[in-house]
Amino acid sequence: MAEGGFAYFRSSDVTLQVKLLVQQLHGSVPAMCASHPPLSYAAWLAGACGVAPHDLHISAQLLVHGMPLGQPERTFSAAGSKLRWNEWLSFTAKYCDLSADAALRISVYGTAGPREPVLIGTATAKLFDAASRLREGELQLALRLVSRFASGDGSSDPAGEEAGEEGRVRSKDEVESEELEAMAARHEAALSRGSELAWLDKPTYQLIEARQLALHGRLSRHLLSIRLPDFEHPVLLHERSAALPPPFLQPPPPRPRALAQTPRLPPRASPPERAAAAADSPAT
């Protein structure tokens, strides 16, 4: 639809299935830099949770009005040593079935043995923003570890829906870390295009990497990267107005059938009455 030059889609008209791209799990804890040599995030997670990184998988449940909608979907590809999946999950529900509070509850599971799944942590992503617009693109979700695993990561921040969400005060280290990540992304994009200042690429990347390692020694973050599908135009929330069925009316009780009335015969006269009637009648 288009109103005043602004083109958009209504969510009630989008009959595509809800999809989600699970990308990777990454983060930092002070214990990673405290060890010698420094540990990777996957190595720290394996040691803290007692699970192998390649056994981790993601389970996602779609929630509507706070209740599960359909069955949960999970990844099947191995995460590998870098905790990357890059796998699409498709739900049976469609975008036209979503409500304003629709959300994705994402859980990270490991394996302690045959048929012994271990819950590592959970994260939540709302599908519509404050302007009732369907969210698109890449999201960084703050993963909340279960209490027995979170006790050793040095984290004291409450779990939020998204890294840097409104209502939570971010520290200077978190702001600087996000800026460095954006700089690293721009740097990689410049490398792919080629530059006349190629001789600055290596020292620039080394400086960014060194600063990121220094920040990782003070920050405790667990981030899950996901991506939502992009649409040609913004998708605005529009719930279908369900037509209520007509009220059930109690049928009236059946009317009793009228019985057929037999003609009533006059009463039979007594013998004296018959004799008097014969006397009164004229003689033939």
Side-chain angles (χ1 to χ4, degrees), residues 198-246:
W199 60 276
L200 283 175
D201 292 339
K202 185 174 181 180
T204 300
Y205 187 78
Q206 289 177 346
L207 179 61
I208 294 176
E209 188 177 24
R211 185 56 185 164
Q212 283 180 329
L213 289 176
L215 290 174
H216 289 172
R218 301 196 298 265
L219 288 175
S220 179
R221 301 188 304 167
H222 312 279
L223 302 177
L224 180 63
S225 298
I226 66 172
R227 186 173 186 85
L228 300 176
D230 296 320
F231 293 87
E232 182 180 1
H233 302 296
V235 179
L236 304 183
L237 174 66
H238 181 266
E239 298 187 60
R240 293 176 178 175
S241 55
L244 296 177

Side-chain angles (χ1 to χ4, degrees), residues 28-31 44 48 143 145 149-156 219-222:
S28 61
V29 292
W44 174 87
L143 182 73
L145 300 184
F149 301 141
S151 58
D153 67 347
S155 176
S156 59
L219 288 175
S220 179
R221 301 188 304 167
H222 312 279

Side-chain angles (χ1 to χ4, degrees), residues 14-20 89-95 229 231:
V14 182
T15 57
L16 301 175
Q17 290 181 318
V18 180
K19 296 178 64 178
L20 160 72
L89 301 181
S90 297
F91 298 89
T92 56
K94 301 178 181 180
Y95 288 99
F231 293 87

Side-chain angles (χ1 to χ4, degrees), residues 118-152:
V118 177
L119 177 62
I120 305 298
T122 58
T124 305
K126 294 181 179 179
L127 293 181
F128 290 96
D129 58 15
S132 299
R133 175 175 174 174
L134 185 67
R135 305 176 74 174
E136 305 176 13
E138 186 173 350
L139 300 178
Q140 297 281 348
L141 304 180
L143 182 73
R144 181 180 183 180
L145 300 184
V146 296
S147 57
R148 56 174 175 164
F149 301 141
S151 58

Side-chain angles (χ1 to χ4, degrees), residues 238-277:
H238 181 266
E239 298 187 60
R240 293 176 178 175
S241 55
L244 296 177
F248 178 75
L249 300 178
Q250 187 73 20
R255 298 178 61 182
R257 296 179 59 183
L259 298 177
Q261 303 231 357
T262 58
R264 299 183 62 182
L265 299 176
R268 191 173 180 182
S270 59
E273 292 176 350
R274 288 199 299 269

Side-chain angles (χ1 to χ4, degrees), residues 19-37:
K19 296 178 64 178
L20 160 72
L21 176 63
V22 180
Q23 294 179 319
Q24 65 172 339
L25 176 64
H26 58 99
S28 61
V29 292
M32 291 170 52
C33 299
S35 60
H36 299 281

